Amino acid sequence: MSKISKEEVNQIAALARLNLTDSDIEKYQKELSGILDYIDQISKVDTKNIEPAAQVTGLTDVVRKDIKNPSDLNRDEIFANVPDKKDGYIKVKSVLE
C-alpha cells in the first residue's frame, strides 16, 4: 500500500488553497493512498495487444457541407405568414440591448 505522508497532504492542500484540520489530513491521507494503490493495480494490467481507443462506441460525426440550396418558396409566400415586416425584411424583436 502506497502511503502518503501528512506533509504531502499538507502540500497538496496548500496548492489547492485548502485549510485542513488534523482529522481531514488523516482522512485524505487514507483516501489518496487508496487512489494511488488503485492506479498501481491498474498499471499492472497487460495492455500490450490492446489498441488505444479514443471513442469506444464506434460512432462517427456526420457532417455535411454547408452548401446554399435554392428554395422552392418565393418571397410573397414567405412574407404571407410573417407577422411584422419592414422594407422587404422580416422584423423581429431585439435580442440584445
Side-chain angles (χ1 to χ4, degrees), residues 10 19-26:
N10 278 325
N19 294 322
L20 300 179
T21 63
D22 288 337
S23 63
D24 289 337
I25 292 171
E26 289 179 22

Side-chain angles (χ1 to χ4, degrees), residues 6-56:
K6 289 182 180 185
E7 292 77 25
E8 290 171 319
V9 174
N10 278 325
Q11 183 180 8
I12 294 167
L15 291 171
R17 297 187 175 158
L18 299 174
N19 294 322
L20 300 179
T21 63
D22 288 337
S23 63
D24 289 337
I25 292 171
E26 289 179 22
K27 174 185 168 188
Y28 292 126
Q29 194 176 1
K30 290 177 189 174
E31 288 181 5
L32 291 171
S33 294
I35 292 169
L36 290 178
D37 288 339
Y38 186 67
I39 291 171
D40 187 45
Q41 182 181 356
I42 290 174
S43 67
K44 292 178 183 175
V45 175
D46 181 20
T47 58
K48 206 180 319 176
N49 296 323
I50 308 294
E51 286 188 41
Q55 220 285 8
V56 295

